[in-house]
Every structure is written in C-alpha cells, then in structure tokens.
Amino acid sequence: MVRDSGGGIDIGGGPDVRQRATDGDAAVRSRAEGIDTAAVAALHDRVLGPEHKSLPPAAWGRTVREFLATAPHLDDLETPVLTVERAALDVNREVMARWAATAGVRLAPHGKTTMSPQLWAEQLAAGAWGITLATAWQAQVARSFGVRRILLANALVDPAGLRWVAAESARDPDFEFVCWADGVDTVAQMDRHLPEGARLPVLIELGGPHGRTGARGVDAALAVAEAVLRSDRLELAGVGGYEGALAHDRTPDAVAAVRGYLDDLARLHRALAGRYERSALITAGGSAYPDLVVERLAGLADEQGAHGVPVTVVLRSGAYLIHDDGFYSGISPLTAPRAERPLRAAMHGWARTVSRPEPELALLDAGKRDLPFDEGLPVPQRFANGGAVPPGAHVSALNDQHAFLRLPGGGDVPVGSVVRLGLSHPCTAFDKWRLIPVVDSAAAARPRVVDLLHTFF
C-alpha cells in the first residue's frame, strides 16, 4: 500500500498554491489508505457537551482537541465510564495484521464492532483490505468518511439502500461495494429496486442448520448463484458466510461443525468455477475461529488458475482490535496461552461505589446502559488506586444504572471507591457510548486520557 511519507515539499508560489498542494497530498493519502483521513481528523474539532457521557462540565464548550490539551486524567472524568487502552490497541492491531499476512489472507475488519471511523482509519493504515459493515446505514456512515471498499456482510434488499449504492457507485468509480444474497427471492428484490444500468457485485451466502441467514446447503446456494447469473443488474463475485453462528466454544463437536461448514463453503466456491466474471472473493471468519477459516479456506487463493480469475480470501474479524476479558479471551486462537504474542483486552469499565446497604453487597453506578452483559457480566479486577478487591467479589446482576457487587464474607469496598471492571464482548460495549476516552494504560496508577473516540451507532 502506498502511503504519504509525511514530508512536506515547498513548491513555491503563494499560500493558495501551497494549500492546494497540501489538499492534493491529503487526497492522495486518503485514496491510498481507503478512507478520508482529513474527515477523520476533523472529529477532533467537534465541540463537547453534556450529551457526551462521563465527560465533566469543565469539558463542555471545548473541542476535543482543546480538552485533550488540558492533559486530563481518568480521575478527572465522571463515573461510570468505558475506556479503551492505547497500548493494547496498538498491540492488537499489529498482532492481527501480521497474523493475517502470514496466513496469506486479507482482512476486512467488521466495522460494526466499534462504528468508530478513527479506529477504521488505523486498521486501514495497517493494511486492511477494506471495512465490513452490516446495514446500508452503516455503509453510508462509512462513505461519509470516505471508506473506499465496503463489504456488506448481509443481504441488501432495502429499496433506498439499493438506490443509494447504485448512485454512489456511479458518482465515484473508485468506490467498491459488495453484498450478499442467500435466496432467489433476495435476488428478485435486488433486481426490482436497482436502477437500470446499475451493476452490483454479489456474494452467495451459505448458511447452516439452525444458523442465521444463508442458503441452507450447497445445492440451494447454487440455485441462488444461477439467479444472480441471469440478472442484468447483479454480478456473481464470490461466496461468503459466518461460521460463528454454528458454534460458541472450542469443544470437539463445535470445531467439527465449523470445519464442516467451511468445507461446504469451499465446495460451493469450486462448484462455481468458471462462472465468475472478473474475480472471486471468499469470505468468512468472525473473531472466534479465524484459525479454522485459514486452515480450510486460505489455500483456495492458490487455486485461482483453475478458475481463470483472481481469488481473494478475506477474514472479517472485528473484535480483535478491542478484544476482551470474557468471551473472546476464552475462545480466540490469538489469546494466551494459544498465541506466542497474544491479543490484550483494550476495554475496561470504571464504576463508583454508591451504596453499601448490606455487609455482603455493594452497589456500583454502572449498569446495562453503560456496560455489556450479553456474553458475560463484568468482572471486578481491582480498585482504581491499584488496590485489590476483596476475594470472591463478583458482579451478580446489572440493572439499568446499577451493578450488584457481591462480597462473600464482606469486604472493604467504601462508598466512593472506584472499581475497574473487565468486560466481555466489545460489540455490545461500544454501542452504549457516543464518545469513548482512550487512556495510555489501564494499569497505570493514574491513567492519562490521550484521545477520545467518536462512535456512530
């Protein structure tokens, strides 16, 4: 990937000439990195206000840039608060980029995990092939920040969404968009609502029994492919699916189910040999089984000579950048002790003790409105001042705005004390925050706020 070196060249002339040169350099850099870096940088010029949860009133009326210039620390913020750790982000981004490159696959991280253009820009700059999204609206957010290549891991049958894709593709020849289809009726809806002259690349989605979307079986998927091939508005561009809907752990039965599904996806691709028009894209892989996707599918890229078109295998893992202390820490192949250089949990919750109504109970000020709970409850790790939480302390339930911290045998958790919480499932953590503080280190005695991430949910 070509990147701007960052070095300026004085081409002479007046300030207008130099400004045009600077703008041109920025445009070249944006195209190279697949996102409008100037639009992303402009997020730091947004004004902060009371709508930004956890930020103190002292931040209101200031831009992000101005607030960061005050060198704030975590303890300057209000609780509850969700933070992301800069050091862990950097490690995770590099670990996954190297792992994918070594495996011979491309990475289109699922942007719905964070809906943060700032993080998308970092992933693209690290070599990501594109950004995956799930809805037309999410794709429109991405395009508003200039994302050039979008993989929609879903069927697009919304009429307004289809018209938008057609118009955006006509407006910008460099824009690349591909979506899924899993039924003949889906193809008919696309045909019905796409304008005449539009040409939309489509992947045939293969599902599995008791799974989510996707044609149930290779034969059904082949019938969808035939419908695409008959269409004047659609182009057969590859195959895809999501193996994570078929398993939830790494038991032998779960691994066998995932492998069997991926083998069927490979069989579907081979059955379409010679039917692809320009190229073939094969995509699978959440953040739970990317190793199995590589094991079963990466070799298909080496068979492109047999298909007569280039073949690209793309992983859509999204949770790796944030990782967690719960579900993904237990199932990912890139976590300790499975990996020599493992991913690290980059997100934490921080909640303040507001009540001690019983000897074995403390109520914290973070609840379902603030922290994820669908893949495991928050886990108390330590006090913000570095002290250890009482042995056996655990969160037993979340209400809208409270966490029930159980203290078997009692424990010293004073009202006003702040507890750091390990969290599970970044996909349902980020969607509760429109602005997320980034700290230098969640293990520091007094973490420093070094950035603020905007999210678009």
Side-chain angles (χ1 to χ4, degrees), residues 182-275:
D182 71 346
V184 174
D185 50 352
T186 300
V187 172
Q189 284 293 310
M190 290 180 171
D191 261 337
R192 177 183 176 187
H193 295 292
L194 278 169
E196 186 176 352
R199 190 71 171 163
L200 179 62
V202 172
L203 306 184
I204 307 304
E205 182 193 1
L206 180 68
H210 313 296
R212 203 164 61 185
T213 54
R216 295 304 197 249
V218 172
D219 289 342
L222 288 172
V224 180
E226 291 298 331
V228 170
L229 289 165
R230 289 193 298 269
S231 169
D232 293 329
R233 293 174 172 85
L234 303 179
E235 174 189 338
L236 181 63
V239 300
Y242 177 52
E243 74 289 343
L246 305 178
H248 207 67
D249 52 41
R250 282 193 173 262
T251 60
D253 286 346
V255 170
V258 170
R259 282 179 170 145
Y261 167 78
L262 295 170
D263 288 344
D264 283 344
L265 193 62
R267 186 159 63 92
L268 172 62
H269 164 69
R270 292 189 177 108
L272 294 172
R275 311 298 299 278

Side-chain angles (χ1 to χ4, degrees), residues 156 159-172 175 177 193-200:
L156 180 57
L162 287 164
R163 290 192 295 269
W164 171 80
V165 168
E168 190 67 11
S169 298
R171 185 190 68 82
D172 182 0
F175 176 42
F177 181 94
H193 295 292
L194 278 169
E196 186 176 352
R199 190 71 171 163
L200 179 62

